[in-house]
Amino acid sequence: MAYDSTATKARLLDAAYDEFVRVGLAGARVDRIAKAASANKQAIYLYFGSKEDLFDAVMANRLRILADVAPITADDLPGYAGALFDALVADPGLQRLSQWRALEFPEASEAEIESHVAKATEIAASYGVHLNLATDLMMIALGAAMAWNNTAERIRNPLGDPEEQRAAAHRQAVVTAVTALTDALTATPKKATS
């Protein structure tokens, strides 16, 4: 049987994702990652260089997955907020990984800055607003989509409604709120999408 380095890399990325979501970069152990991936820990260093580089690779991998599932559409921030909410509810680890990233590496990389500025520039052009306002709109849409996972279950669902029903109602509230905000702050009102 031939050795498949692509499969090993994929298993390492998946195992590292689980480890980083659970304990962050500082708490992660390459021994646990390698064992969970059924790989030798030397493979981590061979393919990724260091634990920090592996974290960056996991982050980039998961952001690509998220971008495929919930692509930012410059002319439909409410739709983006709804799609992002869906993706984060389906896989809360994506949000947790981002939170670990923010805690352990508070400075954004040049690539992250360029990506955000490019997205904000598209939003500014689409809505006919200044770049700073477009950045604010993007951050608020992101924050609204993330609020569900950032709130304890008994607080976000005080009446004990069925979780799926409550999540659907909250999703609609996110879309409605982002729609109202973009309508109030931009020159071209947009219609709410569900």
Side-chain angles (χ1 to χ4, degrees):
M1 180 164 91
Y3 178 73
D4 184 357
S5 64
T6 303
T8 301
K9 287 178 191 176
R11 287 194 319 273
L12 285 168
L13 285 171
D14 287 344
Y17 173 68
D18 293 341
E19 178 81 356
F20 292 138
V21 164
R22 195 171 56 78
V23 296
L25 175 63
R29 298 293 173 260
V30 293
D31 291 340
R32 285 193 303 250
I33 294 168
K35 182 178 179 183
S38 299
N40 183 310
K41 81 175 188 177
Q42 295 306 316
I44 292 171
Y45 300 110
L46 174 67
Y47 297 132
F48 301 102
S50 68
K51 183 171 77 166
E52 292 77 11
D53 292 335
L54 176 59
F55 185 90
D56 290 343
V58 168
M59 193 76 201
N61 179 327
R62 293 300 166 149
L63 289 176
R64 276 191 301 275
I65 292 168
L66 183 59
D68 287 344
V69 173
I72 190 163
T73 47
D75 64 344
D76 185 13
L77 281 177
Y80 167 68
L84 183 59
F85 173 83
D86 293 341
L88 296 175
V89 167
D91 185 359
L94 292 168
Q95 186 169 335
R96 190 167 171 94
L97 184 68
S98 294
Q99 291 168 328
W100 279 117
R101 162 66 178 79
L103 285 169
E104 297 184 284
F105 300 103
E107 294 300 319
S109 70
E110 287 304 313
E112 289 173 305
I113 293 167
E114 287 175 20
S115 173
H116 282 277
V117 169
K119 290 173 188 170
T121 300
E122 289 178 33
I123 292 167
S126 179
Y127 283 93
V129 297
H130 187 275
L131 182 61
N132 283 343
L133 180 55
T135 300
D136 293 340
L137 290 170
M138 189 169 66
M139 289 188 307
I140 291 168
L142 179 63
M146 295 173 72
W148 180 262
N149 287 341
N150 283 337
T151 307
E153 184 178 341
R154 290 186 59 200
I155 293 172
R156 71 186 186 209
N157 191 3
L159 299 177
D161 293 338
E163 186 73 5
E164 195 172 289
Q165 175 187 335
R166 180 67 186 103
H170 182 79
R171 182 197 191 279
Q172 187 56 52
V174 167
V175 171
T176 300
V178 174
T179 299
L181 183 67
T182 56
D183 285 353
L185 297 179
T186 65
T188 309
K190 301 291 179 184
K191 203 171 186 182
T193 57
S194 44

